[in-house]
Amino acid sequence: SQQGEEDPQALSIQEGENATMNCSYKTSINNLQWYRQNSGRGLVHLILIRSNEREKHSGRLRVTLDTSKKSSSLLITASRAADTASYFCATDAWTGGFKTIFGAGTRLFVKA
Amino acid sequence: DTAVSQTPKYLVTQMGNDKSIKCEQNLGHDTMYWYKQDSKKFLKIMFSYNNKELIINETVPNRFSPKSPDKAHLNLHINSLELGDSAVYFCASSQQDRGDTEAFFGQGTRLTVV
């Protein structure tokens, strides 16, 4: 099964509310990344957190990493309608070359 | 300037045809990738190239043949297209073949096989 699995699969909130998305993974990692995908577009990198970090901030984004539970969360504060997108976590794996393994994503819908 | 560009954006073709998708990056990156995103938005790596050399081939049918004429280009050729090949294909690049580097994605090519 997939290395990274996001939860929930879909999330609908009102503008101004906070949105929390979770990601679980199975094997040890060096890094975990979060990406965003607007409908019909490519993925855009949001933030990277290393395995020795517990929390990282970038603007309205807050990412946590718990390596003991093999999980990460992405919090978007004060959400906006423009935050409507799919959010993917991605972990690194080595198979003769590094590859980034993506989860199935959380579809976030922010209602204005 | 578009960092990672792929063409065409849409491709509709009949079963059995052969088609190619082109990808170019102007970021000076060493590593390029092809990903397939299915109808459930599940994104799976297909190939990874580092400095024109194949690094990862994820058990993709040999009907799929990537070609990297130089490190700025990674094209994907697909022979004998099947219905199950319908998906969105993304090209991406990163500075190095390392797990801690950000990947830059193209806009995707929506392939529909009829």
Side-chain angles (χ1 to χ4, degrees):
Chain A
S1 60
Q2 206 36 16
Q3 165 78 320
E5 296 183 3
E6 285 89 343
D7 166 53
Q9 289 187 331
L11 180 61
S12 181
I13 59 174
Q14 291 290 140
E15 210 169 27
E17 293 180 340
N18 294 342
T20 300
M21 290 160 270
N22 302 298
C23 168
S24 60
Y25 56 92
K26 293 182 170 57
T27 62
S28 296
I29 61 170
N30 295 313
N31 309 283
L32 186 142
Q33 303 184 55
W34 283 91
Y35 284 80
R36 164 192 169 132
Q37 183 181 31
N38 285 63
S39 179
R41 309 295 291 272
L43 277 74
V44 175
H45 183 263
L46 294 176
I47 197 165
L48 178 150
I49 187 166
R50 301 183 188 279
S51 59
N52 62 355
E53 297 175 310
R54 292 295 166 259
E55 188 171 313
K56 205 161 182 180
H57 297 255
S58 176
R60 293 184 296 113
L61 305 180
R62 173 177 166 251
V63 169
T64 63
L65 179 63
D66 187 335
T67 52
S68 66
K69 295 181 180 178
K70 291 187 168 60
S71 68
S72 173
S73 68
L74 170 67
L75 168 68
I76 303 175
T77 59
S79 64
R80 304 167 183 167
D83 294 330
T84 295
S86 291
Y87 293 83
F88 295 85
C89 72
T91 54
D92 60 316
W94 173 263
T95 56
F98 275 107
K99 65 178 181 181
T100 303
I101 302 176
F102 288 84
T106 292
R107 291 147 198 63
L108 173 66
F109 181 64
V110 181
K111 294 177 280 188
Chain B
D1 281 343
T2 303
V4 180
S5 60
Q6 51 183 111
T7 56
K9 188 171 182 180
Y10 300 98
L11 184 53
V12 181
T13 188
Q14 290 186 326
M15 280 175 55
N17 283 352
D18 304 337
K19 290 294 179 185
S20 293
I21 307 172
K22 295 185 177 181
C23 179
E24 175 181 6
Q25 53 97 1
N26 63 5
L27 298 166
H29 288 169
D30 289 335
T31 308
M32 296 185 72
Y33 314 85
W34 277 107
Y35 284 86
K36 178 180 179 180
Q37 187 173 44
D38 62 25
S39 58
K40 295 183 179 179
K41 303 299 184 185
F42 185 73
L43 196 69
K44 186 172 182 181
I45 191 166
M46 300 172 68
F47 301 103
S48 165
Y49 269 71
N50 190 54
N51 276 319
K52 304 192 298 175
E53 299 295 325
L54 179 66
I55 301 298
I56 293 172
N57 180 340
E58 282 292 297
T59 60
V60 176
N62 58 15
R63 297 182 295 104
F64 291 78
S65 54
K67 284 191 172 49
S68 183
D70 54 63
K71 77 173 192 178
H73 295 84
L74 181 62
N75 304 322
L76 183 64
H77 189 75
I78 315 170
N79 289 328
S80 303
L81 278 155
E82 300 176 357
L83 293 176
D85 297 332
S86 295
V88 182
Y89 292 84
F90 287 97
C91 176
S93 72
S94 64
Q95 191 165 19
Q96 293 174 307
D97 179 30
R98 284 169 41 174
D100 63 350
T101 54
E102 172 186 351
F104 290 78
F105 283 76
Q107 295 296 294
T109 295
R110 182 174 294 277
L111 171 65
T112 304
V113 182
V114 296

